[in-house]
Structures are given as C-alpha cells and as structure tokens.
Amino acid sequence: MTTAGGIDTGMTDKVLRGRVLTFVRRPRAFDDDGSYEFWDDGAVAISSGKIVWRGGFGDLPNDYAGMDVVDHRPGLILPGFIDAHAHYVQMRVIASYGTQLLDWLERHTFPEEARFEDAAYAEQVASHYLDELIRQGVTTAVVYGSSHKASMDAFFSEAHARGMCMIAGKTLMDRGAPAVLLDTARSGYDDSKALINAWHGKGRLHYAITPRFAITCSAQQLELAGTLLKEEEGVYLQTHLSENHDEIEETLRLYPSARDYLDVYETAGLLGERSLFGHCLHLTDRERDAMRASQSVAVFCPTSNTFLGSGLFDYDGLRDAGIPVALASDVGGGTSYSMLATAAEAYKVCQMRGYSLNPLESFYQMTRGNADALSMADQIGSIEPQCAADLIVLDSLATPAMTVRMETAESLQDELFVLQTLGDDRSITATYVAGRQLK
Ligand SMILES: [Zn+2]
C-alpha cells in the first residue's frame, strides 16, 4: 500500500482503455476541434492515484505495458465532473413544492438544516450525499454545510475517507433565521478557524469560508469573514449573490449605505479569484465590472434558477465580459445531482436568452472549465500527467431511447449532446477517485 496526501492509493496502478476525451481550452464553437484531445482507442495510465500518461492505446510506453488493463471500450473516459455549488444538508428538501427563494428557505430549508447539530445525523447524510455524487460521476464539489461545526466535521471526515477532492465550509449566519441555526460573528469566525486548522490541506480537502448571504449575515460577521480570508492561505470564499428580486430588495434595506448587493461583500473584502458567487442573475453594470476586475467567479446554477423561478443566467454575456464562470447543481434548490442534467438545463436557459450553448463547451465547463474557475486546473478536470486520476466512464447507449437516438449521431459533439440531454446516472458506468474505482 502506498499513500499520497494521507489517502490510501494502494491497488490504483492500472491502465484504463476506452475512448478518451479531455479539453485543453474553452471551446469557441461547435466545431472547435482544437479545444480538446480525443483518442478513439485511448489509454490512461494511473500510478499512485495520479495520471502518469495518456494517449493512444497502441502507443502505450513500455513502462506501463505490465500494468493491469481495465477495458472500458466503447465507453467514453472523461475527467470526473466538478459541481461548483451545492448544499449537502439539503438532501431532504430537494424537490419541495411551491415556493421561491425566501419562503423556500423559511418553510423547507431552515427546519431541515437545524437537524445538523446532531453529529450522527450529519454523518449519515454526508455519507449518502458523497455516495450519490460518486453514482453521478461527480468527483469534486464545492459544498455548503449547515451553520453547525458538526456538519462540517462529518462532511470532511466522510470525504477524506473516500479520498475525494472537496471544497466546503460551515455556513455563517448570525441573524435572519431560527435561533437554533444562528451563530454569532465571533463564534462563526472561531468555528471556521477551527475547521480550517483541522481540515484545510488535509488529504484533498480545502476550506471555503461560507457566509450564507447578506440577509443572514451582519456587517460584523462579513467583516470577520474577510479577516479570516486574509489570514488563511489558500482558502476559498463562497456565498450567494443576486438570485431573486425580493432578496436583493431586502439586502439593500439591511445595508442602506451599500452601492448595490455586491458592494456589501466588496466592503468586507470578500472578492477575488478564489471567491465563488452563486447565481449572479440580476447584476448591475457596476457589479459586473467589479466581478471582472477582481476575477471573482459567477456560478451558474440552472436547475435551481428555473425551479425557484429566480431568473436566467447571462452565461455568454458574463463569459464574454471576462468574468470567470462555473456550472453547478445548487442541490437542494437545484433539482438534480447530475451534472449531465445540469448541463441540459443550462442549454435551455441559454436558449431562452438566444444563445445555443454548444456541447463541447458544456462538457469543458463541467470538467476543465470548473477546475479553472476553482484555480485547480493543474490538479483536476483534465486527463493530463500529474492530474489526479479522478475519472469517469460514460455510456451513450445506457437506455433504449439513447440507443435509438445514437443511431443518427454523426459526431462526438452529437454524442455529447445526447448524453447531456438524455443521460443520467445510468450513463455513468464507472467513477474513479484518485485511481480507485468507487462505482
Ligand atoms: Zn446555494
């Protein structure tokens, strides 16, 4: 048995054979063949949890010729999917009927999140959540816990046991919610700091300082979040921004001196390349300029935005303005754990705005694009030497309806579009985490 970063990587040395696809940059058009590398009979050599070589199977170097070969043909081998925004503590409120953001939080979400003070309950849900990600081919996620420190100890412990690369944090909320969910500006800071000391940099885990949103955070709490962000090397910041009109109005009522919603976070020093802002649906021009100038990431959560009736994300507009974008499920406001379903909904949202998101770009976005938005493109999201062997195998013939549709598919792009439009967890036939096959 060997270990890397505290993760058991024993038995991971092997070669996967199949159709191998990885992106090298953001695709600019449906036929942008320079944006990806593809081997119809390809191989990925894995050693100690990392990719050491990839290319055509016939070109496999002698060094790897003695390794066990796992033949996934005709499966399509891709980097594992990355979900840039999700709430693991909302597994039991996903698919809740009839509300928009603020009522949805009050009626469904807050009562459920209150249960995560109980460490045993948190462990059970964290375990269910991570197993579901593996079933869906999601190998990295950026995750919100509840406001309880116990919720994050449970989550990190379960993620570490699976060897998964995760970015997560306890939500900070010192007002505007039931008392059982509230921390204080000071206790939120202290608990976050303790979690960073315990988990950040352990194995493949990373911490995200997580003020829920301006409505549930006092100015003092946001200021301390900014202090923590400056104090701690390499941590992330995640929060929500400009999701719903009532939310924006309430934020500006609570922060009367703010120029706009983003200014509340800006004043607290929360913007930057490692800062992820969920939704960004109704940004003003000034907010866009500030996002671009700080290279803060706008996170597109299409199934959540349509489910909660929040609005339509301006994907191509923000991208073309030079703002980093990421794609995410936002479970449980979002309606699916599947990044394929998320990409399918992203396509529809873009269509509603007159833009046809091409399948090369959506698959890029779910892999290398999201890795790039997380400043982790050197570690995950690509099938490149030195990247973690977080890999999935996709089956485009997973259902009878897909098989019939695939009879008329003429290109890789067609196949990817069928996968995202008709596929689900049945299309994920294998999930490897640091070289270990977990599905
Ligand atoms: Zn969210």
Side-chain angles (χ1 to χ4, degrees):
M1 291 280 199
T2 52
T3 60
I7 306 301
D8 169 23
T9 56
M11 310 299 286
T12 68
D13 292 9
K14 58 175 85 71
V15 172
L16 308 187
R17 184 175 187 178
R19 298 162 62 232
V20 175
L21 173 64
T22 187
F23 291 90
V24 295
R25 61 166 168 75
R26 181 178 291 280
R28 300 188 189 106
F30 187 81
D31 57 357
D32 186 354
D33 294 331
S35 63
Y36 62 89
E37 291 188 284
F38 176 70
W39 293 270
D40 198 42
D41 184 6
V44 184
I46 299 167
S47 182
S48 297
K50 290 194 168 175
I51 295 162
V52 289
W53 187 87
R54 85 282 180 280
F57 186 78
D59 301 325
L60 190 68
N62 282 338
D63 296 4
Y64 313 119
M67 287 183 178
D68 289 343
V69 175
V70 185
D71 194 348
H72 285 293
R73 288 177 298 167
L76 189 60
I77 302 174
L78 277 168
F81 292 142
I82 299 167
D83 182 349
H85 179 131
H87 303 253
Y88 97 84
V89 290
Q90 294 173 8
M91 280 198 93
R92 293 184 21 156
V93 295
I94 193 170
S96 292
Y97 172 77
T99 50
Q100 297 209 346
L101 177 64
L102 299 180
D103 296 335
W104 175 83
L105 285 170
E106 205 165 305
R107 199 184 310 170
H108 302 295
T109 306
F110 288 157
E112 173 62 17
E113 289 193 12
R115 304 183 64 178
F116 286 76
E117 193 171 11
D118 175 354
Y121 183 72
E123 265 162 43
Q124 187 187 78
V125 178
S127 178
H128 284 311
Y129 175 76
L130 293 165
D131 288 346
E132 184 61 30
L133 293 193
I134 289 161
R135 279 168 30 76
Q136 302 283 358
V138 176
T139 49
T140 290
V142 188
V143 177
Y144 289 64
S146 72
S147 52
H148 311 101
K149 183 173 172 290
S151 74
M152 287 325 299
D153 281 320
F155 180 84
F156 282 129
S157 165
E158 292 292 324
H160 189 60
R162 289 164 178 77
M164 298 176 87
C165 174
M166 289 282 152
I167 301 172
K170 138 197 157 60
T171 55
L172 299 166
M173 43 198 302
D174 66 349
R175 67 176 183 192
V180 61
L181 278 176
L182 297 183
D183 54 13
T184 66
R186 175 50 58 180
S187 76
Y189 171 92
D190 290 343
D191 283 349
S192 301
K193 190 122 186 152
L195 286 163
I196 290 167
N197 289 333
W199 298 106
H200 181 65
K202 182 170 183 175
R204 306 182 66 199
L205 305 175
H206 305 266
Y207 198 80
I209 298 162
T210 307
R212 181 175 213 117
F213 65 158
I215 292 177
T216 58
C217 298
S218 67
Q220 195 200 354
Q221 180 157 64
L222 293 177
E223 196 186 310
L224 279 175
T227 302
L228 197 52
L229 190 60
K230 278 194 207 78
E231 288 170 349
E232 299 290 344
E233 177 84 25
V235 297
Y236 292 83
L237 180 289
Q238 62 176 343
T239 188
H240 298 88
L241 170 69
S242 196
E243 178 174 3
N244 166 294
H245 292 297
D246 291 344
E247 171 213 17
I248 296 167
E249 197 177 307
E250 178 65 2
T251 298
L252 297 178
R253 190 185 69 76
L254 290 167
Y255 285 92
S257 61
R259 287 174 291 178
D260 46 47
Y261 192 161
L262 184 64
D263 193 39
V264 175
Y265 299 139
E266 207 172 336
T267 301
L270 302 185
L271 276 54
E273 283 174 19
R274 296 171 96 85
S275 297
L276 308 167
F277 293 93
H279 307 305
C280 301
L281 298 180
H282 312 289
L283 299 181
T284 64
D285 289 345
R286 196 210 73 80
E287 289 174 307
R288 285 180 180 235
D289 289 346
M291 292 283 293
R292 183 186 54 237
S294 59
Q295 287 296 290
S296 299
V297 180
V299 186
F300 180 16
C301 307
T303 71
S304 173
N305 298 158
T306 53
F307 182 73
L308 291 174
S310 303
L312 304 175
F313 186 85
D314 182 14
Y315 179 83
D316 53 315
L318 294 172
R319 178 201 63 194
D320 293 348
I323 297 167
V325 289
L327 183 64
S329 70
D330 191 25
V331 162
T335 52
S336 177
Y337 297 88
S338 166
M339 290 307 290
L340 296 170
T342 301
E345 195 81 349
Y347 177 80
K348 295 175 199 168
V349 167
C350 289
Q351 282 285 76
M352 295 294 288
R353 298 188 64 106
Y355 176 69
S356 301
L357 177 61
N358 92 65
L360 287 179
E361 185 164 9
S362 52
F363 275 78
Y364 162 82
Q365 191 66 63
M366 292 184 271
T367 57
R368 188 178 182 126
N370 274 0
D372 205 30
L374 301 178
S375 304
M376 294 183 82
D378 58 334
Q379 299 163 53
I380 55 171
S382 298
I383 304 182
E384 293 284 347
Q386 288 315 308
C387 280
D390 292 347
L391 299 161
I392 56 176
V393 182
L394 292 151
D395 176 8
S396 313
L397 310 173
T399 67
M402 290 175 79
T403 304
V404 172
R405 172 60 182 85
M406 279 299 293
E407 286 168 9
T408 60
E410 290 174 350
S411 63
L412 179 64
Q413 287 89 329
D414 275 357
E415 181 178 359
L416 296 177
F417 198 59
V418 169
L419 273 166
Q420 80 173 45
T421 308
L422 298 178
D424 51 34
D425 57 294
R426 290 169 294 180
S427 306
I428 312 291
T429 55
T431 302
Y432 291 87
V433 173
R436 281 199 303 155
Q437 187 169 358
L438 299 187
K439 176 175 181 177

